[in-house]
Amino acid sequence: MIIYFEAAVCFISIFMKMVQSYYYKRLIKDSSDMANAKTKVVRNIKEEFEREYRRMNCINNTNMFVCKHMFGVRIIGLKASSWEVFSVFNVLMCAAAGGITAFMAFLNGYDEQYIIMHVLYGFIAGFLIVLSDLIANVQNKIEHLHVNMCEYLENEYKPILEIGVEEKVKDALPEISEEIDDGIRELFRLMNESDSGDLSADSVSAEISLSVDEERILQDVIEEYLT
């Protein structure tokens, strides 16, 4: 009976590695052309990068951004770290099952051949799990995926976003310039109508509808004028 248990654990572990390997191969293929990404994981990371960039107008460390979001990647509802824990746990279960069975056989007086066979069964099952891990090489695929996404986001997508921000600023410049011109004209009007002794930054800014930054600049100009 214990042999069937070890075989089942071994089969499940190898199947899990196959699923991981296939899943990361898909992500790697998609990340090589992130502009046309189809998988949800790659597309979501790209969209989140764009949202964060537009919110802060910059992302200084693309590598850390990708690392952070890759920790959230799930395969059949489980994170990659959980899959690795299960793999190690399965190896330990096979080794423990073989060792415990051999020890019980020894206590019950079974012959040495029977005891050695159960030890070997546990060892072989654990070895096959480790071998499947080496063949799947999931960790290397994770690193490959990470490099692909960092390379695209930093060298291709980030410059596109920077151009978009610059164009947005350029489009807003005429409107800002007009507001400043209107503010300056209103300032001169108030200067002509008021004595310099009655003129203050607060009184002028109250008469003109300005943003916080524009009001701060205006206050500096008036105070310099008065001194």
Side-chain angles (χ1 to χ4, degrees), residues 2-3 6 95 97-123:
I2 197 67
I3 296 176
E6 293 171 345
I100 293 172
T101 303
F103 181 71
M104 295 300 296
F106 173 77
L107 292 180
N108 292 324
Y110 286 89
D111 57 30
E112 293 182 359
Q113 184 177 359
Y114 183 85
I115 296 172
I116 293 173
M117 284 179 59
H118 279 284
V119 173
L120 286 176
Y121 289 151
F123 173 80

Side-chain angles (χ1 to χ4, degrees), residues 188-199 203-204 225:
F188 281 120
R189 183 184 69 79
L190 292 172
M191 285 180 176
N192 292 329
E193 293 178 358
S194 306
D195 294 332
S196 61
D198 298 330
L199 189 62
S203 64
V204 173
Y225 171 80

Side-chain angles (χ1 to χ4, degrees), residues 83-96:
W83 285 74
E84 294 303 315
V85 169
F86 275 120
S87 180
V88 175
F89 182 69
N90 288 339
V91 173
L92 294 177
M93 278 202 304
C94 289

Side-chain angles (χ1 to χ4, degrees), residues 16-192:
M16 289 169 60
K17 287 298 175 183
M18 291 173 60
V19 170
Q20 282 183 279
S21 179
Y22 173 76
Y23 184 76
Y24 279 109
K25 279 182 179 179
R26 284 186 59 203
L27 295 183
I28 290 170
K29 182 178 179 181
D30 210 30
S31 65
S32 62
D33 185 20
M34 284 188 72
N36 302 304
K38 297 179 181 179
T39 56
K40 184 177 179 181
V41 170
V42 177
R43 191 171 62 248
N44 286 349
I45 291 177
K46 177 185 174 183
E47 292 172 354
E48 184 63 26
F49 184 87
E50 180 178 354
R51 281 193 294 269
E52 286 293 312
Y53 189 92
R54 296 192 185 281
R55 184 176 67 86
M56 301 186 298
N57 289 331
C58 70
I59 291 181
N60 296 321
N61 196 325
T62 304
N63 177 58
M64 292 304 298
F65 175 89
V66 174
C67 286
K68 173 186 173 182
H69 286 81
M70 283 188 66
F71 278 122
V73 175
R74 294 178 179 271
I75 307 173
I76 315 180
L78 295 176
K79 293 183 178 181
S81 57
S82 299
W83 285 74
E84 294 303 315
V85 169
F86 275 120
S87 180
V88 175
F89 182 69
N90 288 339
V91 173
L92 294 177
M93 278 202 304
C94 289
I100 293 172
T101 303
F103 181 71
M104 295 300 296
F106 173 77
L107 292 180
N108 292 324
Y110 286 89
D111 57 30
E112 293 182 359
Q113 184 177 359
Y114 183 85
I115 296 172
I116 293 173
M117 284 179 59
H118 279 284
V119 173
L120 286 176
Y121 289 151
F123 173 80
I124 292 171
F127 174 77
L128 291 176
I129 295 173
V130 174
L131 182 62
S132 67
D133 190 15
L134 294 175
I135 294 173
N137 203 3
V138 173
Q139 191 59 42
N140 180 263
K141 289 180 172 64
I142 293 175
E143 293 175 2
H144 190 172
L145 175 63
H146 176 264
V147 170
N148 278 2
M149 289 195 289
C150 284
E151 192 277 332
Y152 172 80
L153 294 176
E154 181 67 26
N155 298 328
E156 296 185 41
Y157 199 48
K158 191 174 180 179
I160 294 174
L161 295 176
E162 290 174 351
I163 293 173
V165 170
E166 290 175 359
E167 290 179 349
K168 185 178 179 181
V169 171
K170 288 179 181 178
D171 292 339
L173 281 178
E175 182 179 349
I176 296 173
S177 179
E178 290 177 4
E179 292 179 359
I180 293 175
D181 290 341
D182 293 340
I184 292 174
R185 283 193 291 269
E186 183 68 15
L187 173 61
F188 281 120
R189 183 184 69 79
L190 292 172
M191 285 180 176
N192 292 329

